[in-house]
Amino acid sequence: MYSNKENVNILTALLVKERVKKAVVCPGSRNSPIVHNLCACPDIECYPVTDERSAGFVALGMTLADNEPVAVCVTSGSALLNLAPAVAEAFYQKRPLIIISADRPVQWIDQQDGQTLQQHRALEPNVRKSVTLPEPHNEEERWYCNRLVNEALNAVRLNDGSPVHINVSISEPLFEYDVPKLPDERNIFMLHATTDSICVYEMAADFFRGKKLMFVLGQLTPEVVGNSLEAIEALKKVAVVLQEKLADDSICPAQPIDEVLKMIGDDEAYRPDHLIYIGGTIVSKRLRQFLRECKCKMSIVVNGIDEFCDTFMHTTDMIQGLPEDVIGIFANETEGVKKRDFVTLWDKAFDKALAIRKTFKPRFSQMLAVKAFHEKMREEAVDGELFYGNSSAVRLGNIFSDQYIYVNRGVNGIEGSLSTAVGYAIAHQEEEDVYCVIGDLSFFYDQNALWNESLPPNLSILLLNNGGGGIFHQLPGLERSPYRDSAIAAQHTTSAEGICQTHDIVYFSARNEEELYKNLDKLFNSEEGPVLLEVFTNTKEDTQALKDYYQAF
């Protein structure tokens, strides 16, 4: 029988799956659930050592003898600090040492409770990874605990071996052992695109044995996308490839991803059985939710070196490496692979959604402004670079843009969107025009980007001003707060006209459809710059325009 502590059982089960066969255990009451599990587990042999200072070096010697990871388990408090010399030695010898410490519940740390100190990250910088396991109370917390253990146990094998620290919060009662077997925990298998290239090719071959194949490309630089265009086209012949305009540098309409997801609802036929996610973040919340609900037999995430992102909560395999390298490897494995019915199914849905989008005419709103902006870009054959603000703006861009979109999606904050566009325009002022489509809160928050002696003439700004944070009018339930407009959505009556006068920026405005089209023409054909077109809309009309659009699907 095993302990009834769920985080301890998750840890024990994954130690077994990672083939950790030896553990040095030290005495203590707080760590007794962990020690009990390690001793009760037939796959792990335990070696009791009383002195933690010695125990760490005993475990280090075992790693030298077998060149395999070895665990050492201590109780809470200063017991952990006694491992520091052995951990430092293991770090510089690159030995795979797994330090497991029991900890008091977080609410009792620094409260003069016995054997408590700040244990999380206490052994840094001499460990490759530090994690603290929560005591899970729901499925999301169970996933979090599983992910943390996977992250730490994968890190122990990095760079030929590294010590890691797994700190385990354990509340009382401590001594209940009534769980008959360990859980079947998800074990994430990690490979490196360069050092494990043969295994990555084998994984790619396994991937293409699936029936419903899907690639999802998160934010990528246009250089990476450009270098991978041929490979991406090869993948599209045999698999569904989803990419927002943050990862698509081709001159073609944006994929109607949200629109298709709205149409298909819960239809299982559209859900992949083999999924791979490459690149940074995606904008679509609907897509993230869809992918989290998919029960994939194979779910691969490609991360950068030392990154560990389990975005959709069901990763089975992880590849660390450059996106273009992994895209190329998988594309090479498409030769001889037949196009699946799954691809045809999605293609038909895309075609249907694009046809609806093409005929849809929004009312006067931010949606119409962005649609008209991109129509004018195509009409004028404009080949400038596009920068979008976060929130509502980039979501509209992902509907109407047929060019690559730059947007600060690392953290998704509103600050700095205008400054980033200004910086790019300064660096490329002799080469190309730069267009920034931005909402009012993002613009006014970052207006000092225009307080700049280097402000270049090749910058054009489409400012979408509806007097507040329009996205807050699209969040169901928030309308129940009487403070939504005044405090949460930052309602205002500010205009950019005075700012433009101060900084010698050509200013146009539009308050109706006729003015919008007339002044878009001026925006793209102004002989002087920089130039700004401020489009004034109404939040209710903006919200209704989006509702009308998605109701069409």
Side-chain angles (χ1 to χ4, degrees), residues 377-396:
M377 284 194 82
R378 287 191 289 274
E379 180 185 320
E380 298 280 344
V382 173
D383 192 26
E385 298 296 337
L386 278 176
F387 281 77
Y388 263 82
N390 267 310
S391 205
S392 296
V394 71
R395 285 167 169 80
L396 293 173

Side-chain angles (χ1 to χ4, degrees), residues 318-372:
M318 193 169 288
I319 302 173
Q320 291 192 332
L322 297 174
E324 55 265 48
D325 291 344
V326 178
I327 291 171
I329 288 172
F330 275 74
N332 286 336
E333 292 297 307
T334 61
E335 188 174 348
V337 177
K338 294 181 179 179
K339 182 177 179 178
R340 305 295 198 272
D341 292 340
F342 186 62
V343 180
T344 304
L345 184 70
W346 271 86
D347 284 345
K348 288 180 178 178
F350 278 144
D351 290 342
K352 181 179 178 181
L354 285 170
I356 296 172
R357 177 194 287 176
K358 187 176 181 179
T359 59
F360 182 79
K361 174 66 184 296
R363 63 184 66 202
F364 181 69
S365 60
Q366 291 187 347
M367 187 175 220
L368 178 64
V370 174
K371 184 176 190 289

Side-chain angles (χ1 to χ4, degrees), residues 183 403 463:
Q403 295 180 227
L463 171 56

Side-chain angles (χ1 to χ4, degrees), residues 19-35:
R19 301 182 301 281
V20 176
K21 297 179 180 179
K22 291 184 173 65
V24 177
V25 296
C26 300
S29 58
R30 188 63 52 168
N31 68 329
S32 61
I34 307 172
V35 173

